[in-house]
Amino acid sequence: MMPITKRLLQIALCAGLLGLTGHLTVAQQTAADAKAPTMTGSANLSPAQIDDIVRKFAAKETQFRQALNAYAFKRDALVQEIGMGGQVVGEYHRVSDFTFDDKGNRFEKINYFPMPSFTSVTQEDLEDLGGVNPFALEGGKINQYNFKYAGKERIDELDLYVFDVAPKITPDPKKTKERFFLGRIWVDDRDLQIVKSKGKAIPETKNNKFPVVETYREQIDGKYWFPTYAYADDDLVFDNGSDLRVRMRVKYTDFVVGRGKVTITEIAEAPEDLKPETASKPNAQTKPATPQPSPTNATSTGKANSSVNEDDLAPSDLGMLNNLATDLPKPIYPPEAKKNHVSGQVQVKVFLDETGKIVSAEATFGPEALRAAAVEAAKRARFKPQLVNGVPAKVFGIITYDFDAQ
């Protein structure tokens, strides 16, 4: 189906309200209990002043992206399909902790993820919801956009510059996969950082439609305005006349400077003497599968143990694995599914041993007609050994496969 949520954090991080003429009112209060904005006049800025403001907030956006890599945070993402009578008929709910390494690679630990009843969430959706914004209004991107100054507004205690934003050239979805922002942004007149946004992603296609998302940011550590709440309630109308109403709510909390407690890296090859049943855990050394009289295992307190607790053998959850694969073959589209034009995303849960070899794969989500093909593709995936606290470890996670109708 259509990638619904994939634009949520993207728009949340760079965004603005679709250009509206005339009067502006706030249709809904956010979780931050924001007050309705009050127009304070055009402020009569010269073109040179406008260009200077745009240049400065774009530079701040670049700093914001870099700063985010130093923070861990919690994300609570809820996406719902709304029926004709206003009832919830499908739901995707995922609560995760995120951390980044010094190269900007993101790692996710899933805390809560019941079986989704809303099946239109893709891998790209998850990437964007995790804080990766593919069309940020950074310094390197501003030359691709037109910024129209709309005046000033006062929201709560903040005086804000308001800009309508649109790409200079309307992108052709047949020629580019890059996504652009169309909407409105609010920029603090003192910090010159984006504090609110409302807008959507373009280009759209006959199968991909994107909702308008409104996002609020809060100042973290007195420096950066990070997104803390994003909301959408929109009807998506497709070229064939079908209509889909989606409601989204994403909260970002618990921003903390620092890396995760578990760091996952890759190494060139596994040690030759590595046993297939070796397990690892922070503060615990490895132990052969067959009991040996020595050496004994030492805990972090320095006391000796003669056995390993079952919890120490539990594999580590790495979340989404697509970006960690060294080889990720594409699935073969099943003939039966092709006959019925079946499409959608399949999520496959895989377990890796200490050498990076996949030892089991099971489809947990997605159209039934596509699951077997996804599982077979997952079994052919290749990974390097994953390290937990410097030791090759058993791990598990999710590989996602997106099938387009053929």
Side-chain angles (χ1 to χ4, degrees), residues 154-323:
R154 186 174 180 83
I155 301 179
D156 291 335
E157 302 302 320
L158 299 177
D159 291 316
L160 309 173
Y161 297 117
V162 184
F163 291 90
D164 290 325
V165 183
K168 292 181 178 179
I169 301 175
T170 302
D172 184 347
K174 296 181 180 179
K175 296 181 180 180
T176 180
K177 293 184 178 180
E178 184 176 5
R179 298 189 296 275
F180 292 82
F181 172 71
L182 176 66
R184 175 168 284 191
I185 59 174
W186 286 256
V187 179
D188 182 74
D189 67 351
R190 292 180 300 176
D191 292 341
L192 294 180
Q193 295 189 53
I194 297 173
V195 301
K196 179 187 173 183
S197 58
K198 192 173 183 180
K200 66 185 299 180
I202 59 172
E204 294 181 315
T205 68
K206 63 180 181 180
N207 294 321
N208 291 347
K209 305 296 180 181
F210 312 122
V212 175
V213 181
E214 185 171 11
T215 299
Y216 286 81
R217 300 186 186 186
E218 294 181 24
Q219 196 174 48
I220 305 298
D221 292 341
K223 299 179 181 179
Y224 306 106
W225 289 84
F226 285 169
T228 56
Y229 183 83
Y231 183 83
D233 191 339
D234 204 1
D235 285 309
L236 308 181
V237 181
F238 296 86
D239 292 2
N240 61 5
S242 62
D243 177 275
L244 175 66
R245 180 183 172 190
V246 293
R247 181 183 296 156
M248 301 181 227
R249 184 227 64 203
V250 182
K251 296 180 181 179
Y252 301 90
T253 59
D254 302 339
F255 288 94
V256 178
V257 175
R259 309 301 177 191
K261 294 181 179 179
V262 177
T263 302
I264 302 163
T265 58
E266 295 181 349
I267 61 177
E269 58 183 13
E272 294 181 359
D273 60 346
L274 191 62
K275 299 291 194 291
E277 292 300 322
T278 301
S280 64
K281 183 87 171 182
N283 298 328
Q285 295 181 358
T286 58
K287 177 185 177 182
T290 304
Q292 300 290 336
S294 66
T296 57
N297 292 307
T299 66
S300 58
T301 61
K303 296 180 181 180
N305 292 329
S306 60
S307 63
V308 176
N309 187 286
E310 287 187 2
D311 290 340
D312 292 332
L313 297 174
S316 299
D317 182 359
L318 300 191
M320 308 307 296
L321 298 179
N322 291 59
N323 291 336

Side-chain angles (χ1 to χ4, degrees), residues 352-405:
L352 283 64
D353 65 15
E354 300 90 339
T355 67
K357 179 182 179 181
I358 293 179
V359 296
S360 70
E362 177 186 9
T364 60
F365 170 76
E368 197 67 37
L370 302 172
R371 291 193 176 196
V375 169
E376 288 303 313
K379 291 179 179 179
R380 301 196 306 271
R382 294 291 179 267
F383 294 84
K384 293 181 180 179
Q386 303 299 311
L387 300 184
V388 176
N389 274 19
V391 180
K394 295 178 181 178
V395 298
F396 71 92
I398 299 294
I399 302 177
T400 61
Y401 296 95
D402 294 322
F403 291 82
D404 295 327

Side-chain angles (χ1 to χ4, degrees), residues 330-352:
K330 293 183 178 181
I332 300 174
Y333 196 91
E336 191 66 25
K338 185 175 183 179
K339 183 188 304 182
N340 297 318
H341 304 288
V342 180
S343 63
Q345 183 188 83
V346 178
Q347 297 181 4
V348 181
K349 185 176 184 179
V350 297
F351 284 81
L352 283 64

